[in-house]
Structures are given as C-alpha cells and as structure tokens.
Amino acid sequence: MAGNFWQSSHHQQWILDKQDLIRDRQHDLAKLSEEEYQKIFNFFASIIQVLGEQLKLRQQVIATATVYFKRFYARNSLKCIDPLLLAPTCVFLASKVEEFGVISNSRLITTCQTVIKNKFSYAYGQQEFPYRTNHILECEFYLLENLDCCLIVYQPYRPLLLFVQDIGQDDQLLTYAWRIVNDSLRTDVSLLYPPYQIAIGALHIACVMLGKENLKPWFAELNVDMDKIQEIVRSIINLYEMWKSYDEKKEIQSLLGKMPKPNPAPQR
Amino acid sequence: MGDNFQSNKTMASVMMDYEFKMKTQNERSKVEDLFDYEGCKVGRGTYGHVYKARRKDGSDTKDYALKQIEGTGLSMSACREIALLRELKHSNVINLIRVFLSHTDRKVWLLFDYAEHDLWHIIKFHRAAKANKKSVMVPKGMVKSLLYQILDGIHYLHSNWVLHRDLKPANILVMGEGPERGRVKIADMGFARLFNAPLKPLADLDPVVVTFWYRAPELLLGARHYTKAIDIWAIGCIFAELLTSEPIFHCRQEDIKTSNPYHHDQLDRIFNVMGFPQEKDWEDIRKMPEHATLVKDFKRSNYQNCSLSKYMDRHKIKPDSKAFSLLQRLLLMDPNRRITSEQAMQDPYFSEDPLPTQDVFAGCPIPYPKREFLTDDDQEDKSDSKARQNQQQQQQPNTQQNQVQANSHDHAANNAKRMRMSGPNQGNAGGGGGQQEFHQQQQMMFGGQQQGAGSQQQGNFQQRF
C-alpha cells in the first residue's frame, strides 16, 4: 500500500517523542548504558537482517521487521519477551504483511537454527536456538497487540528513489544512500522521524562521503526542517563512530549476559 | 498450544516475563465479555463467520458486525486484512473498529459497523419479485447512487494502490436505518487471495465465493496479475446486474473446482453478450497466455449477432441512454481501454437528473428484509455443500432444477432458519406507489411466495456480511 503517510498509523501513532522514548527505557537503562543498549539492538537487527536474507526476503520486508522489533521494545523492557524469540517473530509477521509468500513454520524454525548455529555462534556458542513454532505463534499475538495492529510501515527507500530521480539519476549516490538507510535501522531514527526525512539525512551523509559539493543548492531548496535532518545525520554518524571502536564478536556475550531477562512464573 | 510455553522447563531461556504476561492478560478485553452475539450468526463462508452483535454494557445500542476469521492464528490474508483496514478510511469502505485476539483458542475477531443490506440480497429480492410479477418501490436514482458510491470507494482504494480483487454484489454492503442510512460500504477485499493458495479448494466451502461471473476476460485468458482494470470490469458487471436484476455474464458453474484460470463456458457467455472481440478492439489479446486455446476453441462467426447494446436493449436499457454509454465504457474487453474509477465518476450519467444521493434510498422506506440469523449447525452445513451449490444455480432465470428446489425447502424447514421479515420498513414497502420520486423497477415485488423466496435463500446465505 502506497497510501498517504500523513494519514497513516505510522505518522499518527508511531513517530515517537525522544523524551518519551528515553523515559520508557528507564528500566533497561538502569542495567545497561545507552551505548550498551544500542549495541544489543545492533546485534538483534543483524539477526533479523541475516534471517531475512536467508529466507530471501526483500530489504523492505527486513526493514519492516526491524521496525516492529524496535516498536515493541520502545514500549516494553527487553525482559518482557526474549529478543531472540521476538526477532524471528517480527520477520514472520512482516513477511505475511508484505505479501511475500508464506514462510512455512518449519522453514522458519530451521532457518533460525542454522543461522544461530552458523552465523552467531560467537554470541551463543554451542547453544541451540531454543524456540519452536508454538512459541513464535504465541509471541506473534503479543507482538500484534503491542503494535496496536499497526502493521503498515513506511520506509525511506521509496522517497530515497524519488529524491535521487529528482537530483538526476546517480547510481553511486543511490547505492551509498541506500546502504546508509539500511544502517539507520540500527539507530532510533525510524522511531523518531518520518521516512522521507531519514531519506534526506541518508542522502546528506552520502553527499558528504562522496564529496558532492554541487548538491548544496538542492538541499537548500528542500522545504524541510533542517534541524531534524541534522539530528538524523548525527544519530547515524554516532553509529559509525561507535562501530569504529567496537568488536561485536568479543563483547556481545557479556552484553547479552547483562541484558535484563524474563522472570519465570513463581514456583508453587 | 495456548499458554503452556513455560511448561517446557528444560528450555534454557524463559521466553516471556511472567509479570508482563499477567499484566497483558489482565488488560486484554475479551470479545465475549464486551459483546452479545450468541445465536446471531448472519453469514459464513471461506472467510469465517459473521455475527450481529450488541455491546453488553449498553454504552450504545448500535448493531455491530463481528467477524470471526476462519481457522486459527494469523493467516496471511488475516494479516493483510488487518494491516490494510487499519489504514484505510473512507465513507464507502468498511470501517475496522477493533481487533480481538483470543489467546486461548487462537481465534481472531474483527469488529465492524453493521450493514443490514448487500447487493446480493437486494438484487435477489428484485429478481424474486420479478418472477412473481410484483413491483418493488425504490427511488428512481438508486442504481445511480449505488454505482457512484461503489466508484468512490474503489477510487479511494485504487489511489492507495489497494486492489479489491473480488468485487461482486455480495461484497457491496448497504447500511440500513441509522446515521449512515443507505450508504455503500465496500467489504472483503480479496486480501492475499492471489498469493495464498487455499488449503481447501474454495469450491468445497462456498460456491458463491468462487463465481466467475465478475471475472474480467483477461483473467479468464490467463492474465497473471490483478489490476485496477479487473476491478472496473467487475463494477461494470454489477452495474448491469443492478439495471436488469440478472447477472450479465451468468454461467453454469459445474467445474468450479478447476485451478486453471481459463474457463471456456464463462468466456462463451461473455462473447454471447458482448460479441467476439475484434483485433482492433483488443490488440494485446494475442499476448494473453491462453490466446492459443481461445483461437482453438472459439469461432468468431458464432457471435456475429451479439452485442452489448442488443443485450441491454432486450432488458429495456436503451442504447442511447447515458446509463448504457457508461456501462459500455466500464465493460470494454481491452483492459487498457477500460475507464478508470475517476473517469467513471466524471461520466455525464452522474450529472443527469436524478442526481446520485448519499442515502441510496433517498429517504424512502427500505423495501428489503433484514438479515436472517443462521443456525449454528456447521456439521450439517459442510455435508450439504453440494446442495447449496445447486441452490445457487436456482438463481438462474431458467432453472430446471425443481427437484433441488424442493430439497432446499426441506433443508430450510429442517433448520428452521427463518427470515426476519419484521423490520419497520416491511409494512411500508408498497406504500407511496405512483409518486414521482418512485420508479417501478421493472415488474417486481416479493409475492405470496415470501416463504419460498426466503427459503431459497437459506442454504446459500453465505455472502460476506
């Protein structure tokens, strides 16, 4: 559905206020620093990305799954549902919404098992993917409830294509900006800003990287709140800065150890 | 499978926090706590069951439609339906008020406003009246108002790149008495039907749902994708049916279980009405996947005397009328030349007197009966699907299936599914005749055979609500 973003549930319910977001994370931020919190999300965004690629989903579907994941934890603590369960559940739900053929339950579980074993052993060691179909299906109901049934997510990819067309087709610029949009999924920007602003932010960074001074007038003519664009740019640049000094393979196990965990039912 | 995930104590990780789970459970409202709907089923089909419901707390006395989606959990079509309806907002598109997820039995419920009428029942009512040489009093502009609102709703869907994919009279609802009286609501978009191979052949569940009568010729010739033009063709078919009370491309449907889109009899029927398409009228017909079969199976000369104008003329719609000229633009064989919903809404037909009205009944009494309640007898119903299929064919003008008809009467009597004829409009149906704003729609009206006409309807009361 192309639809109208301004009348969408995305715009009306899911562009969050930064202060609210920070407040709602208090429980988790008592146990994790903001940077640690971001590193954990980075990790699960990678799991969603790899799962999606293994299942041959389009980037649009993967991005939607990642946004579901972020929306759930924007309102809930990491301890409410194990993110290792919520991540594949988001992929499953997004693939159905985006109408890309049904992923069979068994194929989803098998893919989770292989991906965790082959690509994320640095985090989980010899531990196998612990969940089965019934866990995913139950989790899916909780996810849908927490999303308030808002399943259509607008992504920056389409506006990005339109902007690049407007600038005059530039494949290198598009490739760079596209990757930056992918990277932006590892930040909070998809919770805080409309997708067209994220697209402009990504273009801005791509222009700086490619030294495209000549596009300054194009940006100047845009009728957008440049402060917002600068905030988006800062969030993404901060991510790149963090990556420079971060070795996920070494640190993730201890981060996952520190992560708030669900409590089981009290023993009778 | 419900709530036992924590029983697996050997599992290394706990999947869900107990406190979170309890809190969510306590906050969740259950459909059965909020609504009364027991014994009030008004529809069933592949999509599930639909109930007429009222709020238990009496905070309002409106009627609601509660749809329990077939099967358990979130099928792809359920996901699509929830995702799209959550975003769509237009006065001629059904409004999703709320979703209920029942965790214990994994059922999904959707809450909508209740629409008392639909075009399937409305047309059926007119046809029954016609058969009995009675008349139905409806405002002169009713068909025009219906068509205009259908186009308005479809235009909204199309401009949001949502295709309906399953337009037919049963999916066009009309609101009964109340603040939205006489307003068209488009329902049951064919969510994901194209991509979602149903586990059961559709035909096993619901013969009406798989009707080919509203299918565009390009689909019958193997077109692989749904388009806006396919929806427009279906609107053309519905328009013709509203004008004549007969399905324009009516066709026997014996082999509806076929998975092949190519359907010889249906194409034959279309050509019998429209004539065989000339090369110049539809250049790309040669590119259709089933074009070779078409050439092999059909002879142009067999349809030499057929044309839409002759067909409609036989049904008392003059070829020089504005209605006919719009119909012709909607029913162009070449999908590329068919008009868009937007163009259709600009057609002179709509600026000619009588102008379309918001209330399609234009303030006049509503002559149609309210929906009947169905009995909750699924067992019987499934075994009876063959009979229902036959009954459906009774809609045909020249039915020769007297025996089946007799069966259907028994069937209805056994189940005591009684039509609710009590509505406040009933008594007024014949009143006001002869007044100018009324138009005698051909020669129809429910006659002494109310019982018969009602019970014919029993078994195949399976339109979307």
Side-chain angles (χ1 to χ4, degrees), chain A residues 35-208:
Chain A
E35 188 172 297
E36 288 170 331
Y37 186 86
Q38 190 180 19
K39 284 174 176 170
I40 286 172
F41 270 83
N42 229 307
F43 174 72
F44 286 105
S46 303
I47 292 188
I48 290 173
Q49 183 74 36
V50 175
L51 269 178
E53 286 168 9
Q54 290 288 312
L55 293 163
K56 305 207 165 34
L57 302 174
R58 287 173 307 149
Q59 184 58 32
Q60 169 88 22
V61 186
I62 297 172
T64 295
T66 314
V67 173
Y68 290 170
F69 186 86
K70 296 195 70 88
R71 283 182 182 179
F72 180 87
Y73 290 113
R75 296 274 162 83
N76 298 288
S77 159
L78 279 161
K79 81 174 182 119
C80 293
I81 294 183
D82 180 0
L84 184 57
L85 173 62
L86 194 73
T89 306
C90 291
V91 172
F92 191 48
L93 186 59
S95 74
K96 287 191 272 189
V97 169
E98 299 278 349
E99 214 176 34
F100 238 67
V102 187
I103 301 171
S104 77
N105 295 335
S106 59
R107 182 162 162 244
L108 179 70
I109 298 294
T110 318
T111 312
C112 288
Q113 289 167 339
T114 343
V115 162
I116 295 303
K117 193 174 163 200
N118 297 343
K119 312 252 171 157
F120 295 97
S121 59
Y122 64 85
Y124 293 104
Q126 295 306 304
Q127 220 183 310
E128 278 184 22
F129 180 73
Y131 300 112
R132 297 295 172 264
T133 301
N134 59 323
H135 302 121
I136 302 244
L137 295 181
E138 177 159 17
C139 181
E140 192 180 37
F141 267 29
Y142 281 87
L143 174 61
L144 186 62
E145 280 173 339
N146 274 275
L147 295 175
D148 194 21
C149 295
C150 302
L151 297 176
I152 304 281
V153 176
Y154 288 76
Q155 299 294 346
Y157 301 106
R158 196 194 306 262
L160 177 65
L161 288 169
L162 293 175
F163 287 135
V164 173
Q165 231 170 51
D166 185 55
I167 287 170
Q169 200 61 42
D170 179 337
D171 288 345
Q172 193 190 29
L173 182 66
L174 178 61
T175 310
Y176 266 69
W178 188 279
R179 285 187 193 149
I180 294 164
V181 168
N182 290 352
D183 294 339
S184 78
L185 291 168
R186 307 322 171 82
T187 71
D188 286 337
V189 296
S190 56
L191 294 176
L192 299 173
Y193 307 94
Y196 79 95
Q197 290 182 355
I198 300 172
I200 296 170
L203 266 175
H204 194 97
I205 299 174
C207 285
V208 172

Side-chain angles (χ1 to χ4, degrees), chain B residues 127-384:
Chain B
R127 186 161 44 232
K130 190 170 160 184
N132 294 307
K133 308 248 191 293
K134 303 281 177 171
S135 58
V136 182
M137 296 302 163
V138 293
K140 223 173 155 189
M142 188 176 85
V143 168
K144 188 183 288 185
S145 306
L146 286 167
L147 180 65
Y148 190 82
Q149 294 188 33
I150 295 169
L151 288 166
D152 208 352
I154 284 297
H155 175 241
Y156 172 78
L157 292 178
H158 284 182
S159 52
N160 284 288
W161 286 93
V162 175
L163 304 176
H164 191 290
R165 307 197 272 211
D166 195 19
L167 278 169
K168 56 190 177 188
N171 287 342
I172 310 292
L173 312 182
V174 181
M175 299 297 280
E177 298 296 344
E180 290 198 285
R181 185 186 205 269
R183 186 170 293 168
V184 166
K185 299 282 174 184
I186 297 172
D188 285 287
M189 285 64 117
F191 299 105
R193 195 149 296 147
L194 184 61
F195 298 87
N196 199 0
L199 296 172
K200 272 189 153 187
L202 291 169
D204 281 356
L205 279 158
D206 188 347
V208 174
V209 164
V210 288
T211 182
F212 281 84
W213 303 346
Y214 308 93
R215 286 222 174 163
E218 64 270 27
L219 272 179
L220 299 166
L221 290 173
R224 296 217 166 78
H225 297 287
Y226 279 83
T227 60
K228 295 179 183 180
I230 285 169
D231 285 346
I232 296 295
W233 176 272
I235 294 175
C237 299
I238 294 169
F239 183 27
E241 194 167 331
L242 285 169
L243 292 169
T244 67
S245 300
E246 308 291 345
I248 180 166
F249 301 123
H250 175 269
C251 174
R252 289 186 314 124
Q253 302 181 79
E254 280 161 354
D255 48 347
I256 43 180
K257 289 185 188 182
T258 177
S259 55
N260 184 356
Y262 180 80
H263 195 287
H264 174 278
D265 292 358
Q266 187 64 59
L267 282 165
D268 174 59
R269 172 63 187 174
I270 293 178
F271 300 149
N272 262 311
V273 173
M274 306 287 296
F276 197 85
Q278 304 282 336
E279 288 272 320
K280 67 172 171 52
D281 293 335
W282 187 0
E283 286 170 17
D284 289 349
I285 193 171
R286 323 167 103 258
K287 298 180 189 161
M288 299 308 300
E290 300 288 345
H291 183 254
T293 330
L294 177 79
V295 171
K296 179 167 67 69
D297 288 358
F298 288 90
K299 263 204 196 134
R300 176 185 305 280
S301 55
N302 289 344
Y303 306 98
Q304 219 111 58
N305 289 317
C306 308
S307 75
L308 183 60
S309 61
K310 284 182 192 159
Y311 172 86
M312 291 307 287
D313 203 27
R314 282 201 296 280
H315 286 88
K316 314 217 164 36
I317 303 297
K318 296 278 160 264
D320 60 355
S321 65
K322 292 213 163 53
F324 176 79
S325 120
L326 172 56
L327 179 66
Q328 202 164 34
R329 298 170 76 204
L330 295 165
L331 287 181
L332 284 171
M333 298 276 255
D334 182 349
N336 291 317
R337 298 168 71 176
R338 233 168 272 156
I339 56 172
T340 64
S341 48
E342 202 173 9
Q343 289 166 329
M345 288 167 75
Q346 303 298 322
D347 192 274
Y349 175 57
F350 296 113
S351 40
E352 181 185 67
D353 203 52
L355 296 177
T357 48
Q358 288 246 312
D359 168 5
V360 301
F361 306 117
C364 304
I366 302 174
Y368 313 109
K370 293 189 168 187
R371 291 184 193 281
E372 62 176 321
F373 291 134
L374 305 177
T375 53
D376 239 329
D377 207 350
D378 290 47
Q379 284 316 92
E380 174 271 337
D381 217 72
K382 264 173 197 153
S383 63
D384 225 32

Side-chain angles (χ1 to χ4, degrees), chain A residues 9 13 80 96-97 145 263, chain B residues 17 28 74 80 86-87:
Chain A
S9 63
Q13 277 179 252
C80 293
K96 287 191 272 189
V97 169
E145 280 173 339
N263 293 316
Chain B
D17 186 64
R28 180 180 302 138
L74 289 161
R80 293 286 297 167
R86 186 74 178 69
E87 307 295 325

Side-chain angles (χ1 to χ4, degrees), chain B residues 124 127 213 246-247 250-253 389-401 456:
Chain B
K124 192 175 180 71
R127 186 161 44 232
W213 303 346
E246 308 291 345
H250 175 269
C251 174
R252 289 186 314 124
Q253 302 181 79
Q389 187 173 327
N390 289 330
Q391 282 166 27
Q392 188 218 345
Q393 293 180 356
Q394 285 176 25
Q395 291 177 32
Q396 299 170 19
N398 318 315
T399 178
Q400 331 105 330
Q401 307 182 10
Q456 256 188 44

